[in-house]
Amino acid sequence: MYPALLAARHLDTPAAASPYAIALGVQLALSRRPRALEFFALGQPTDFDELSWEWQVRAALWAGDWERVRDGIAMMPEDLRSQNRWRYWAARAAGQLGDAELAKQGYADVLPTDNWYAVLSAARLGQRFAPTPVPMGLNDGAMDRLATQPAFVRASELVLCDMEPFAIGEWRAAFADLAQPQQVQAIGLAARWGWYLQAIAAAAKLRIFDDYDVLYPRPYDPEVRKGASLTGLPEDLIYAIIRQESLYRADARSSAGALGLMQLLPETARRTARAWDLPLRSTASLLQPSVNVPLGSAYLRGLYDRSGGQAALAMGGYNAGPGAVRRWLPDAPMEMDVWVENIPYNETRGYVQRVSWHMIVFGWLSDRKPRDLSKWLGTVRAPDTGGDSDP
């Protein structure tokens, strides 16, 4: 940061200093420093890119400067400004600045999009929320015919023999040779086999996200019920973590060494097992759902308790670690949506939003009833003052 600052101070013209000022603004915004907006103000619009446009608005959100939020979004390129994220924040800015009708219209435009921002929009409108499923149109006969093709037969047999890397190779080659309507049926076939990782990944490749009956299965009910009974956490939250962490693959291993359905690091699992008096015979046993899910649930419960009952903090801690979340806490209570938007790690911000969304979908699938999600409009604060979110 400091070389850029020195360079900016010694350049002769605002145009020459502009890129340095914007770069400083981004770095200060990532650290939630109040001077970020000063440096963004020195930048020229032609020097902004997607990263700097977004962090200028996030800095204004953190500062509570709603005029800068409104103006910053208005200056974004159309393809960025039209994203659900910034349409929601444009509506928020309109409401904060006294234009209730514009805010209401903005929320209504985001509401049908089935994501984190749609749920927030429903809460802002005072409406109960239910996802809008879009079935893929699976056909048993079409799936049966695919299942007899040699490549799919080989993929199925390899899965049954625990030779998943080879199965994936067969699957991908066969999938790529199909016409798009057949690819959709192949997604259903993978789900029928219980090969949920492949089904969800293939659906995402086709931009299919909203067939919730197929893409949000619950194959580990006994283990999840045990984790929920042990910790008092909702089953929907535990399933949301499992789906996000491993896509239901019990033998999942990350490059960092995290293992199993809930992607536990061995040392984290050992500490949790000691604290909760849970069995953990070996690191390899973390690949067993009956071991992994109760331990993962207990670890998540510990994060939830240390965060003062604030679900967003617990989710963020599960992904980035509780130390990172502590660094991101505001000095004074802050609206939850503003805090989440300012999480500096893209991965963790997306993680909190997606896990929250998965939890909503799992809950809705249990009874198909719209839900009151007004609690999403709560605040984030230092844990020792308590929180106002439910797990």
Side-chain angles (χ1 to χ4, degrees):
M1 180 188 301
Y2 294 106
L5 178 58
L6 291 172
R9 285 176 173 172
H10 289 88
L11 291 171
D12 294 332
T13 67
S18 169
Y20 297 95
I22 292 170
L24 278 164
V26 169
Q27 292 304 313
L28 291 168
L30 286 166
S31 300
R32 296 158 308 285
R33 301 290 182 85
R35 293 195 65 194
L37 290 174
E38 295 179 33
F39 285 93
F40 281 126
L42 298 174
Q44 301 195 353
T46 53
D47 291 325
F48 279 78
D49 59 9
E50 181 173 327
L51 178 71
S52 47
W53 283 122
E54 292 190 331
W55 279 101
Q56 175 179 234
V57 174
R58 290 187 177 117
L61 286 168
W62 191 268
D65 188 337
W66 291 98
E67 290 186 357
R68 289 287 293 273
V69 172
R70 178 197 61 197
D71 296 344
I73 295 172
M75 294 173 67
M76 287 177 171
E78 171 59 27
D79 60 340
L80 185 60
R81 186 171 66 248
S82 62
Q83 293 178 4
N84 292 321
R85 179 190 310 273
W86 302 117
R87 289 199 295 165
Y88 168 77
W89 286 114
R92 281 277 275 128
Q96 291 292 133
L97 295 172
D99 194 335
E101 286 304 312
L102 183 59
K104 184 177 179 180
Q105 183 58 55
Y107 295 138
D109 290 343
V110 176
L111 194 57
T113 59
D114 271 21
N115 53 51
W116 160 269
Y117 296 101
V119 179
L120 289 172
S121 294
R124 294 282 169 195
L125 290 169
Q127 297 180 12
R128 289 178 174 268
F129 181 83
T132 305
V134 182
M136 285 183 273
L138 298 179
N139 179 278
D140 286 335
M143 289 187 285
D144 291 341
R145 288 189 290 275
L146 279 180
T148 66
Q149 293 188 7
F152 286 106
V153 171
R154 290 193 296 270
S156 175
E157 293 299 319
L158 288 165
V159 170
L160 292 173
C161 293
D162 291 326
M163 300 175 69
E164 187 147 348
F166 298 99
I168 290 172
E170 291 282 358
W171 167 275
R172 287 177 176 170
F175 188 84
D177 288 340
L178 297 175
Q180 197 270 344
Q182 288 180 299
Q183 288 180 332
V184 171
Q185 301 305 316
I187 293 168
L189 180 61
R192 180 197 283 180
W193 291 344
W195 200 8
Y196 302 116
L197 181 151
Q198 202 61 40
I200 295 169
K205 186 174 181 180
L206 297 184
R207 308 296 297 170
I208 296 172
F209 303 104
D210 300 340
D211 189 333
Y212 302 121
D213 288 296
V214 175
L215 301 178
Y216 283 77
R218 302 177 71 110
Y220 297 105
D221 278 348
E223 295 84 0
V224 170
R225 281 196 294 267
K226 182 178 178 181
S229 176
L230 174 72
T231 63
L233 294 175
E235 293 180 21
D236 301 333
L237 174 57
I238 297 171
Y239 258 124
I241 295 287
I242 288 172
R243 190 185 190 280
Q244 186 62 35
E245 288 286 344
S246 64
L247 282 179
Y248 305 98
R249 184 172 175 177
D251 64 347
R253 301 170 185 261
S254 79
S255 59
L259 299 172
L261 288 172
M262 297 187 74
Q263 287 290 277
L264 292 170
L265 291 169
E267 180 54 33
T268 299
R270 284 190 287 270
R271 288 198 309 267
T272 304
R274 288 194 298 269
W276 287 75
D277 194 24
L278 293 171
L280 180 61
R281 292 188 301 275
S282 66
T283 296
S285 66
L286 288 173
L287 301 179
Q288 300 172 13
S290 61
V291 174
N292 188 282
V293 175
L295 279 171
S297 302
Y299 176 59
L300 179 60
R301 180 75 217 194
L303 292 173
Y304 176 80
D305 291 340
R306 288 197 295 275
S307 72
Q310 299 174 92
L313 300 189
M315 293 175 192
Y318 201 95
N319 178 257
V325 170
R326 283 194 296 271
R327 293 194 301 273
W328 303 335
L329 287 172
D331 293 330
M334 174 176 285
E335 289 180 287
M336 187 271 292
D337 57 350
V338 173
W339 182 82
V340 171
E341 193 63 52
N342 272 276
I343 292 175
Y345 296 173
N346 290 341
E347 177 187 333
T348 304
R349 185 186 328 111
Y351 183 93
V352 171
Q353 294 172 340
R354 284 190 289 272
V355 169
S356 299
W357 172 250
H358 296 335
M359 187 178 174
I360 295 301
V361 174
F362 280 118
W364 174 79
L365 283 169
S366 67
D367 60 14
R368 313 281 170 150
K369 294 180 179 179
R371 278 163 164 67
D372 176 6
L373 296 171
S374 56
K375 65 183 180 183
W376 280 41
L377 306 184
T379 57
V380 166
R381 63 193 75 200
D384 59 354
T385 65
D388 58 7
S389 298
D390 294 327

